[in-house]
Amino acid sequence: MKVLLIDNATDGHHMAYAACLASSAAYEGVLALPDGKGDVPCPDKQISGFRPLSYLCWVRGIRRLVRETKPDVVHFLNANALVNYCGVGLGWLRRYRTIFTYHLHFGGKLKHFGHRRLAKIGTSVVHTASLARTFAAYGGKVVHIEYPNFLQEDAPFSRDRSVRTLLALGQTRRDKGLDILLEALDGVKADFRLVVAGAPVDFDEAFIREKTAGYADKVRLDLRFLPQEVMRGYLKEADYIVLPYRRVFDGASGPLTEGVGYEKPIIGPDCGSLGEIIREHHIGYTFPCESAEGLRKCIEKALSERFAYDETAKRYREYLSPERFKREYAELYGGL
């Protein structure tokens, strides 16, 4: 069985996701990626946002690619980039076993219409139980495959220190709420250290320095795209992984799964997929979504306690295995 794995980006977790699926021995995975990083070139067109002419050129290139590679399954690894185009030009994919993977969900009339149109063309894959319920309303087949920990190691790493470290890991996008965290920490009385590590997007170094001026001696910044070994180092050193995400973010979180891999307590919002995962799997603390005051109280509570993973949390850690992830996708490919 040949599976064509298509993505329009290779930054962040995109490359790890694609490479993991391509490494399965259960099928022949053919990576179609931009920037010459795949087995075959994906059309190098910018389709994020709304760029109709670029999108139509991209679709034409994908159709040619599918015709040339002759796959049994066509899998779009980043279907969020396709939603705004409402399936225009993709009707021919009904002749194939087609999968659209969504990492996040955003609302709005156009996006709702786009999701319904794409659901008529192929199977939808999402990474959280909350998203599976949301996508069921669009019709079509919906499959929940939990997002894995691509940095998984055999044993967790922990340390016991009097001054504990809060880690904000990943791109500094507004939907990830770094500004909420910086405001919350301004009133925390307990001693702490903050590490902000990841590529700057919406909040740059000048903004972060300004917002942390009152506790500048507690802050370390590493604002760049992080190699895997650097991420591992920060995860090992952290005592808490903080996810101050806004309500608009509803999906899986790489820093959450990676933090769980090292048995780190997670501090995240009480809403959406993240709140449900933290509560159901006993992996940390939740605070009222988008509330700096609520996050401040939550951090103070966490800093005053010693958190340990119970059996429920440890089972979830094992469940996040990349091998389980690959196996579930292989079963999906074969069962379409």
Side-chain angles (χ1 to χ4, degrees):
M1 177 173 56
K2 181 187 288 187
V3 180
L4 182 62
L5 302 161
I6 302 169
D7 204 334
N8 64 303
T10 57
D11 61 341
H13 288 87
H14 289 265
M15 195 68 211
Y17 196 104
C20 181
L21 290 180
S23 69
S24 175
Y27 50 83
E28 178 189 356
V30 179
L31 281 177
L33 304 174
D35 307 322
K37 295 182 179 180
D39 302 308
V40 294
C42 181
D44 190 13
K45 298 292 182 181
Q46 177 58 258
I47 62 172
S48 296
F50 189 64
R51 298 175 172 84
L53 293 179
S54 183
Y55 166 78
L56 291 174
C57 292
W58 184 84
V59 168
R60 186 161 53 247
I62 293 297
R63 187 166 189 171
R64 181 172 59 253
L65 183 59
V66 170
R67 187 166 56 245
E68 292 171 353
T69 56
K70 298 180 173 59
D72 300 292
V73 179
V74 180
H75 183 181
F76 294 91
L77 303 180
N78 182 29
N80 287 101
L82 307 179
V83 176
N84 286 343
Y85 305 104
C86 303
V88 171
L90 298 179
W92 54 274
L93 284 167
R94 292 189 180 94
R95 301 197 297 270
Y96 297 87
R97 286 179 273 173
T98 301
I99 297 172
F100 299 106
T101 289
Y102 300 93
H103 302 276
L104 298 168
H105 177 263
F106 296 102
K109 290 183 179 179
L110 176 62
K111 293 189 184 296
H112 290 327
F113 182 66
H115 282 304
R116 285 194 292 269
R117 289 289 304 274
L118 290 171
K120 294 178 180 179
I121 296 172
T123 297
S124 301
V125 172
V126 295
H127 295 312
T128 72
S130 176
L131 285 186
R133 294 191 295 271
T134 298
F135 275 76
Y138 297 128
K141 183 177 181 180
V142 180
V143 177
H144 169 203
I145 297 179
E146 195 84 359
Y147 196 90
N149 174 19
F150 294 119
L151 301 182
Q152 189 174 60
E153 294 185 354
D154 291 337
F157 179 97
S158 61
R159 56 194 305 143
D160 187 10
R161 294 176 295 188
S162 58
V163 179
R164 284 181 273 180
T165 298
L166 307 169
L167 174 62
L169 182 66
Q171 294 180 333
T172 64
R173 303 199 316 256
R174 187 179 187 279
D175 62 325
K176 291 191 172 186
L178 177 62
D179 56 327
I180 298 173
L181 172 60
L182 302 184
E183 180 183 347
L185 288 174
D186 199 30
V188 171
K189 295 181 173 59
D191 203 2
F192 66 90
R193 296 291 180 269
L194 171 66
V195 175
V196 180
V201 180
D202 295 317
F203 303 122
D204 60 10
E205 181 174 353
F207 176 89
I208 298 171
R209 295 292 185 195
E210 177 186 351
K211 294 298 181 181
T212 60
Y215 53 95
D217 59 324
K218 302 177 184 291
V219 180
R220 177 183 177 186
L221 303 183
D222 189 356
L223 301 179
R224 57 175 172 137
F225 176 79
L226 301 175
Q228 281 197 358
E229 286 310 307
V230 174
M231 283 194 288
R232 289 182 194 275
Y234 284 131
L235 288 160
K236 288 177 180 179
E237 291 294 324
D239 294 291
Y240 301 91
I241 311 301
V242 188
L243 310 175
Y245 295 3
R246 285 183 159 84
R247 196 177 308 276
V248 69
F249 183 105
D250 191 10
S253 165
L256 181 149
T257 59
E258 291 152 3
V260 170
Y262 289 100
E263 292 194 7
K264 305 295 183 176
I266 310 298
I267 298 175
D270 61 359
C271 61
S273 297
L274 298 183
E276 184 173 287
I277 289 171
I278 293 169
R279 289 190 301 271
E280 290 194 358
H281 299 293
H282 304 180
I283 57 173
Y285 304 85
T286 62
F287 65 92
C289 189
E290 300 188 27
S291 168
E293 179 60 26
L295 177 54
R296 180 181 300 119
K297 292 178 180 178
C298 185
I299 290 172
E300 288 177 333
K301 174 180 171 61
L303 292 174
S304 70
E305 300 178 344
R306 294 291 176 183
F307 187 93
Y309 272 37
D310 62 14
E311 291 305 312
T312 298
K314 290 179 179 179
R315 282 195 299 271
Y316 184 61
R317 177 182 180 273
E318 294 303 314
Y319 179 67
L320 296 179
S321 159
E323 292 305 315
R324 183 272 313 163
F325 173 75
K326 290 192 289 186
R327 183 177 65 253
E328 290 185 2
Y329 258 124
E331 292 170 355
L332 173 60
Y333 297 150
L336 291 176

